[in-house]
Amino acid sequence: MASKNKNWEYAPSLESTEHITLKKRYDLFINGKWVKSASNKYFKSINPNDEKVIAEISHANQRDVNRAIEAARNAYTKVWSKMPANERGKYIYRIARLMQERSRELAVIESLDAGKPIRESRDIDIPLACNHFFYYAGWADKLDYAFPNRQISPLGVAGQIIPWNFPILMAAWKIAPALATGNTVVLKPAETTSLSALKLAEIIQDSGLPEGVVNIITGYGDTGAAIVNHPDVNKIAFTGSTGVGKIIQKSIAGSEKKATLELGGKSANIIFDDAPLDQAVEGIVNGIFFNQGHVCCAGSRLFVQEGISEKVIRKLKHRMKSLVVGNPLDKNTDVGAINSKEQLDIINKYIKIGKKEGAEIHQSACSLPSKGYFCPPTIFTNVAQSSVIVQEEIFGPVLTIQTFRTVDEVIQKANNTPYGLAAGVWTDKGSRIFNLTTKLKAGVVWANTYNKFDPSSPFGGYKESGFGREGGLHGLSAYLKLT
Ligand code: NAP
Ligand code: MG
């Protein structure tokens, strides 16, 4: 569909869906085979752009979880933990290469199922997911160099539970380091975005990875909890909301299970008056509007130094006019579909709260498609530090804007949230950047850029944004017993 934006009209440039193959129904991937769920129940995966059903997906119950964990245990004791590390590495490379070969198909499926603009899935999610497998494949036989003078052993069976905002990338973040360190895996994608993980299961099958080393089971509600509570799981790797993270932490308390929890965020993007303003505005847009604000580390709280605030807001509003909201498969689209009806309702609820709190709202003047789940890029000014929309994670294209005068003031305001996942700092002064990076309570601080990722760089949170790191050497150690 062409953009209906009043200022910018583009001819539609739709990515073809002809090169992708999707089954009507997906079963569970357990012990290297596709097996029917014991529940015999299926749920629908919906395309958030047109609300049509893409495929039916199995709902794994307790018996299925038991089967998957048993398969992972068997594969761990009999095959994977005994295999020479360089052989393990070859399998991981093979998965990376097969993913690259099928990257167009994976990108289109991700955009269809998750609502992500094709430009994002094609240029960011899929290449980064491949790079995680390449990166960790390289470490598989070099663990002694990664952790010199330490005794290294894998943990065993890892239960991995991921959210819907970066479906295949989160699967790669979790599976690649687990395999490189000699663990086996049971992974559960989120209810609304299982398809790319199921495609990854096909790739894993094609790679010849020994059966049971990676098991991918789908479901919702109690499926994730059944993995967490299973007594034969040694490690839980969870990415998702802080609420569910807290439930998981309670359920594993007192057990031997190790855990990494990557949770929510309300990250600050801070613009000083000496910053390159046009780049900073692009960084704000990238931080909150691209990918519909479905980013755990989204720069959802903007802090602008007082003297330049009017100018920055004017530039931002101007840039918002040219953002194209629409079909995720259109290459012109900047802001795709909100992942689900439920999430759209949550975002709209917060927009209402913002208005009620007396904040001033400005939304992109674009007409939204008549079908599907869409939300225009939205900014709120005249907000207080105590406003609900400043404190709580919205997980949509909604930005709050506050001003500040001094460095100390902005550090205090930026840190004044239960979260601590990421932050951005825009300034010409290197010393100021170093000052802020040490004082901001955030796992990642970007300087003069935003939302940049690399497999070699650790990622994770402070406070209620979770604990443990993924990526880099930190990501390896989370799957190892080091003595
Ligand atoms: P969510 O509701 O917490 O769900 C995450 C996953 O946990 C899903 O697979 C979900 O399954 C499963 N789950 C639900 N209840 C469970 C339980 N009691 N025990 C075990 N698993 C359970 O989060 P979401 O809405 O999908 O994702 C958005 C959140 O993820 C945001 O808060 C975002 O900030 C966070 N996130 C954090 C990071 C990071 O690196 N820190 C990265 C990305 C996203 P079902 O979907 O089937 O219910
Ligand atoms: Mg879907």
Side-chain angles (χ1 to χ4, degrees):
M1 182 186 50
S3 156
K4 299 266 176 58
N5 192 301
K6 288 186 187 110
N7 297 280
W8 299 80
E9 292 284 353
Y10 291 106
S13 176
L14 284 184
E15 176 69 46
S16 161
T17 52
E18 276 165 20
H19 56 88
I20 66 162
T21 51
L22 278 171
K23 291 190 254 183
K24 284 213 162 75
R25 247 186 185 191
Y26 280 90
D27 290 315
L28 307 171
F29 185 65
I30 297 178
N31 210 23
K33 292 169 203 68
W34 294 97
V35 300
K36 292 222 173 301
S37 154
S39 74
N40 205 23
K41 279 194 196 141
Y42 292 86
F43 59 95
K44 296 177 169 64
S45 204
I46 308 283
N47 178 344
N49 177 56
D50 57 14
E51 302 173 41
K52 287 191 181 141
V53 176
I54 312 174
E56 286 192 321
I57 292 166
S58 280
H59 183 187
N61 67 10
Q62 181 73 53
R63 275 175 58 199
D64 300 313
V65 169
N66 294 350
R67 274 198 289 176
I69 290 172
E70 197 186 322
R73 175 61 59 192
N74 259 325
Y76 175 73
T77 41
K78 296 191 183 136
V79 185
W80 199 241
S81 62
K82 291 188 178 151
M83 189 181 281
N86 63 331
E87 291 298 319
R88 280 206 312 264
K90 284 186 205 165
Y91 283 109
I92 308 170
Y93 271 124
R94 209 172 290 158
I95 294 169
R97 283 199 302 266
L98 287 170
M99 280 176 78
Q100 263 184 337
E101 277 171 23
R102 293 172 67 172
S103 56
R104 278 192 66 187
E105 186 184 7
L106 290 171
V108 171
I109 290 172
E110 199 76 319
S111 286
L112 276 177
D113 199 27
K116 223 173 242 287
I118 186 72
R119 259 190 2 236
E120 293 259 327
S121 40
R122 183 196 60 196
D123 298 345
I124 299 172
D125 296 49
I126 310 298
L128 257 178
C130 296
N131 284 349
H132 268 83
F133 278 99
F134 278 119
Y135 174 78
Y136 281 116
W139 276 119
D141 62 350
K142 300 173 197 70
L143 297 176
D144 288 333
Y145 298 95
F147 306 101
N149 306 318
R150 310 280 295 269
Q151 294 278 346
I152 298 165
S153 50
L155 300 174
V157 175
Q160 307 183 323
I161 299 168
I162 57 175
W164 46 258
N165 60 338
F166 286 94
I168 199 159
L169 183 58
M170 290 297 125
W173 275 30
K174 299 249 175 312
I175 296 174
L179 297 187
T181 45
N183 299 275
T184 58
V185 166
V186 175
L187 175 114
K188 190 199 90 66
E191 174 189 358
T192 56
T193 55
S194 299
L195 289 176
S196 55
L198 292 164
K199 273 281 151 185
L200 181 59
E202 286 179 10
I203 286 172
I204 285 170
Q205 207 173 21
D206 291 347
S207 76
L209 186 77
E211 53 195 33
V213 173
V214 173
N215 305 275
I216 296 182
I217 58 172
T218 47
Y220 57 89
D222 48 6
T223 313
I227 296 175
V228 170
N229 295 325
H230 197 289
D232 203 26
V233 167
N234 304 98
K235 148 104 190 175
I236 299 294
F238 172 79
T239 299
S241 61
T242 296
V244 174
K246 285 181 180 172
I247 296 175
I248 292 178
Q249 216 180 344
K250 270 189 202 142
S251 21
I252 62 173
S255 77
E256 300 264 297
K257 289 174 195 167
K258 273 191 121 188
T260 38
L261 304 179
E262 303 279 0
L263 309 176
K266 192 76 183 173
S267 301
N269 209 356
I270 303 167
I271 322 281
F272 285 93
D273 57 10
D274 61 348
L277 292 192
D278 289 322
Q279 277 110 304
V281 166
E282 216 39 52
I284 299 165
V285 167
N286 178 23
I288 186 69
F289 296 142
F290 289 173
N291 206 20
Q292 305 73 252
H294 293 345
V295 184
C296 52
C297 48
S300 50
R301 289 183 301 149
L302 178 63
F303 292 96
V304 191
Q305 202 158 18
E306 217 170 67
I308 53 159
S309 71
E310 273 179 32
K311 195 170 176 186
V312 168
I313 293 169
R314 195 175 64 240
K315 279 176 179 282
L316 179 60
K317 285 182 178 171
H318 180 72
R319 179 66 178 94
M320 284 166 73
K321 282 186 194 168
S322 60
L323 289 175
V324 179
V325 182
N327 189 344
L329 282 184
D330 193 320
K331 289 167 204 163
N332 297 314
T333 295
D334 297 306
V335 184
I338 301 301
N339 183 263
S340 64
K341 167 89 172 48
E342 291 70 31
Q343 186 58 28
L344 182 59
D345 290 345
I346 293 172
I347 298 168
N348 285 334
K349 181 194 84 183
Y350 277 111
I351 291 178
K352 250 192 205 153
I353 293 176
K355 287 182 189 165
K356 236 185 176 172
E357 286 181 319
E360 202 172 302
I361 184 172
H362 173 86
Q363 293 186 302
S364 292
C366 53
S367 57
L368 300 180
S370 54
K371 269 218 144 199
Y373 316 130
F374 290 91
C375 177
T378 303
I379 57 176
F380 277 107
T381 48
N382 194 23
V383 293
Q385 193 65 18
S386 58
S387 305
V388 172
I389 54 168
V390 169
Q391 286 295 327
E392 296 185 11
E393 185 183 44
I394 300 174
F395 225 59
V398 181
L399 177 72
T400 59
I401 305 179
Q402 293 170 271
T403 59
F404 69 95
R405 287 182 189 170
T406 66
V407 173
D408 286 344
E409 179 193 354
V410 78
I411 290 171
Q412 206 178 28
K413 282 182 168 167
N415 287 339
N416 180 13
T417 142
Y419 296 112
L421 198 52
V425 180
W426 298 80
T427 172
D428 200 30
K429 284 199 188 63
S431 58
R432 196 180 260 163
I433 290 170
F434 286 119
N435 181 24
L436 270 116
T437 47
T438 52
K439 292 184 182 145
L440 289 171
K441 295 276 173 285
V444 179
V445 181
W446 286 291
N448 295 322
T449 186
Y450 207 89
N451 271 347
K452 288 276 180 293
F453 298 96
D454 188 90
S456 63
S457 164
F459 185 87
Y462 272 71
K463 301 191 281 186
E464 294 205 0
S465 291
F467 53 78
R469 295 289 178 266
E470 292 187 306
L473 291 182
H474 295 69
L476 282 173
S477 63
Y479 285 94
L480 287 171
K481 192 167 156 228
L482 292 165
T483 44

